[in-house]
Amino acid sequence: DAWQAAPAQEYHEPPTEEALVQGTLWAEIAKLYGHGNSVFCLTASNKGGLVASASKAAESQVGMAGIRLWSSSTWMPQGVLEGHKTTVTQLAFSPDDSMLLSVSRDRSFCLFARGPDGAYALSHRQESAHDRVLWG
């Protein structure tokens, strides 16, 4: 039997959860709540224990540019990393997961280092690293 794609659906309003479940490849297993706006970027640690996410944030939205860390085994929050004023556009863990790098529309980059207790903390912030937005 050849695999056949489902016929395309045309929506004139946001689809229901039922329609999304039937039309996606993977079933939803968890929702991560905490960002005040839409998630803009996401990355997973190389060893698979953490997921880092960041949402859209305007400079006037104080505290919205935080990077949220989640356990990938329990999907529970593991902390919020502060360092940017506007939307974080890219996130990347170092190969050994000892560092997390973030770049932002505020033209800065932040480096977060993992401490002996496993928690990440701001290690370095470079303001105005470029003349234009850093996209990754």
Side-chain angles (χ1 to χ4, degrees):
D1 290 308
W3 178 83
Q4 292 184 349
Q9 296 284 331
E10 186 174 322
Y11 295 103
H12 300 287
E13 58 188 40
T16 64
E17 286 287 325
E18 182 67 24
L20 289 173
V21 168
Q22 292 176 1
T24 59
L25 295 175
W26 298 283
E28 181 181 282
I29 59 170
K31 285 187 180 182
L32 305 178
Y33 293 99
H35 289 293
N37 293 322
S38 301
V39 170
F40 192 86
C41 64
L42 182 84
T43 192
S45 62
N46 296 293
K47 294 180 181 154
L50 280 177
V51 172
S53 62
S55 69
K56 292 181 180 180
E59 197 161 351
S60 62
Q61 296 176 305
V62 177
M64 296 295 272
I67 300 161
R68 295 188 175 273
L69 299 176
W70 312 88
S71 164
S72 61
S73 60
T74 64
W75 299 114
M76 296 301 295
Q78 301 298 300
V80 179
L81 305 175
E82 301 289 345
H84 294 287
K85 298 175 190 165
T86 60
T87 304
V88 173
T89 58
Q90 288 289 323
L91 296 162
F93 283 97
S94 63
D96 66 355
D97 293 331
S98 65
M99 303 282 212
L100 175 64
L101 176 70
S102 61
V103 296
S104 169
R105 290 186 62 210
D106 65 12
R107 299 181 303 132
S108 70
F109 70 82
C110 291
L111 190 61
F112 300 90
R114 187 177 63 208
D117 62 353
Y120 286 84
L122 184 62
S123 171
H124 180 76
R125 182 176 197 280
Q126 181 66 48
E127 294 256 3
S128 301
H130 289 267
D131 291 335
R132 297 203 180 252
V133 174
L134 291 169
W135 289 104

